[in-house]
Amino acid sequence: MQEILSLTFMQNAFLGGILVSIACGIVGSLVVINKMTFIAGGISHGAYGGIGIAFFCGFMPIIGASFFAVILALAVACMSLKDKERFDSIIGAIWAFGMALGIILIDLTPGYNVDLMGYLFGSILTIDKSTLIFISLVNLIILFFVICFYRQFCAISFDIEFAKLRGVNTTFFYYILVALMALCVVATIQVVGLILVIALMTIPPYIAENFSKKLGQMMIISAIISSLFCILGLIISYKFNLTSGASIIMVASAIFFLVAIIKNYIKFN
């Protein structure tokens, strides 16, 4: 372990994984409670369009992905609120549009060959200080909104109709939630990639839900579990020379299935 921590890129990777885990623990809990996993999936894949725009226009991919993901998230929120019956079709269209746009723009970018696999499956070992600063800013934004409006998020998560009767602007907080989800997705892309983002956002909250009675407890436990997944996944990937993002998700998946089996066994006995 001392050998691993002596390497600068591994230090950045561990720190990046822990910072992302905080965001995923908080936002992921809200995603799971509100049953918004499919929306998060659409946004995560659609965010690739922002990466393509960034490379085509010549600025940082993480900035392009952030703005594009937030715009997509707000568009999804608007359309889903107006047409709930076609909700899945809207997400599917956003998903396909973002991926296609990103790939086409990267193909059109002159003299540049982007490593598609790095964005699809993550490249946590390449995290630098600027990325750590970005993830830290995302965490601060998420913490600010969740701490300031914790009661409102609880209200819309557990009983939206009652929240409306109590005067909570549920539409506004729904928009805030999807925007925070978009930022969390972009921050997580560097760690596990577009394809595996949903796993890191949903598996830890699912496990944490079994050990918590309040939303706040669920967020904290989820962040701790997610951090453990990232640390164990990184150690395994280093020891066996495996892809770091996939290793993190394999650890998470193995624990997920173990918890599910134990939960069902206790339930039926």
Side-chain angles (χ1 to χ4, degrees), residues 120-199:
L120 292 180
F121 296 101
S123 52
I124 190 172
L125 298 181
T126 62
I127 284 181
D128 54 18
K129 288 185 178 179
S130 61
T131 305
L132 291 175
I133 291 172
F134 172 80
I135 300 173
S136 298
L137 289 174
V138 169
N139 277 337
L140 289 175
I141 293 170
I142 291 171
L143 285 169
F144 171 79
F145 278 102
V146 172
I147 291 172
C148 290
F149 304 107
Y150 177 75
R151 291 184 179 180
Q152 288 86 343
F153 281 122
C154 284
I156 66 171
S157 297
F158 294 105
D159 195 337
I160 192 167
E161 296 301 326
F162 180 72
K164 287 180 181 178
L165 293 174
R166 292 297 300 269
V168 177
N169 190 340
T170 55
T171 301
F172 172 75
F173 285 105
Y174 182 71
Y175 279 113
I176 293 293
L177 178 53
V178 295
L180 293 179
M181 185 196 309
L183 290 175
C184 181
V185 162
V186 174
T188 311
I189 285 174
Q190 185 80 19
V191 176
V192 293
L194 296 168
I195 294 176
L196 304 176
V197 163
I198 301 305

Side-chain angles (χ1 to χ4, degrees), residues 14 27 38 42 81 83 91 134 140 146 155 174 179 181 197 204 218 224 229-230 240 252 260:
F14 280 120
V27 177
F38 193 40
L81 287 171
D83 189 4
I91 300 298
F134 172 80
L140 289 175
V146 172
Y174 182 71
M181 185 196 309
V197 163
M218 181 177 172
I224 294 171
F229 289 163
C230 288
F240 299 99

Side-chain angles (χ1 to χ4, degrees), residues 55-255:
F55 278 113
F56 187 76
C57 297
F59 54 89
M60 287 180 65
I62 202 165
I63 301 300
S66 298
F67 280 103
F68 195 73
V70 170
I71 292 170
L72 281 185
L74 296 176
V76 167
C78 180
M79 289 185 285
S80 62
L81 287 171
K82 292 181 178 179
D83 189 4
K84 293 183 179 180
E85 293 183 1
R86 296 290 178 268
F87 178 69
D88 55 344
S89 299
I90 293 170
I91 300 298
I94 292 291
W95 186 315
F97 166 73
M99 288 292 292
L101 177 65
I103 292 170
I104 289 173
L105 288 177
I106 286 174
D107 286 341
L108 293 174
T109 301
Y112 198 90
N113 183 23
V114 180
D115 180 16
L116 181 62
M117 297 297 288
Y119 290 101
L120 292 180
F121 296 101
S123 52
I124 190 172
L125 298 181
T126 62
I127 284 181
D128 54 18
K129 288 185 178 179
S130 61
T131 305
L132 291 175
I133 291 172
F134 172 80
I135 300 173
S136 298
L137 289 174
V138 169
N139 277 337
L140 289 175
I141 293 170
I142 291 171
L143 285 169
F144 171 79
F145 278 102
V146 172
I147 291 172
C148 290
F149 304 107
Y150 177 75
R151 291 184 179 180
Q152 288 86 343
F153 281 122
C154 284
I156 66 171
S157 297
F158 294 105
D159 195 337
I160 192 167
E161 296 301 326
F162 180 72
K164 287 180 181 178
L165 293 174
R166 292 297 300 269
V168 177
N169 190 340
T170 55
T171 301
F172 172 75
F173 285 105
Y174 182 71
Y175 279 113
I176 293 293
L177 178 53
V178 295
L180 293 179
M181 185 196 309
L183 290 175
C184 181
V185 162
V186 174
T188 311
I189 285 174
Q190 185 80 19
V191 176
V192 293
L194 296 168
I195 294 176
L196 304 176
V197 163
I198 301 305
L200 199 61
M201 287 184 68
T202 57
I203 292 177
Y206 170 84
I207 297 172
E209 193 175 15
N210 295 287
F211 304 100
S212 54
K213 295 181 180 180
K214 296 180 180 180
L215 180 59
Q217 291 178 347
M218 181 177 172
M219 290 176 175
I220 295 171
I221 295 172
S222 177
I224 294 171
I225 292 172
S226 182
S227 297
L228 292 174
F229 289 163
C230 288
I231 292 170
L232 289 173
L234 279 169
I235 293 173
I236 291 171
S237 68
Y238 180 82
K239 291 292 185 181
F240 299 99
N241 194 26
L242 302 172
T243 303
S244 53
S247 299
I248 291 169
I249 299 305
M250 280 302 295
V251 171
S253 299
I255 302 299

Side-chain angles (χ1 to χ4, degrees), residues 36-56:
M36 298 172 70
T37 304
F38 193 40
I39 297 179
I43 293 171
S44 66
H45 287 74
Y48 194 70
I51 295 172
I53 292 172
F55 278 113
F56 187 76

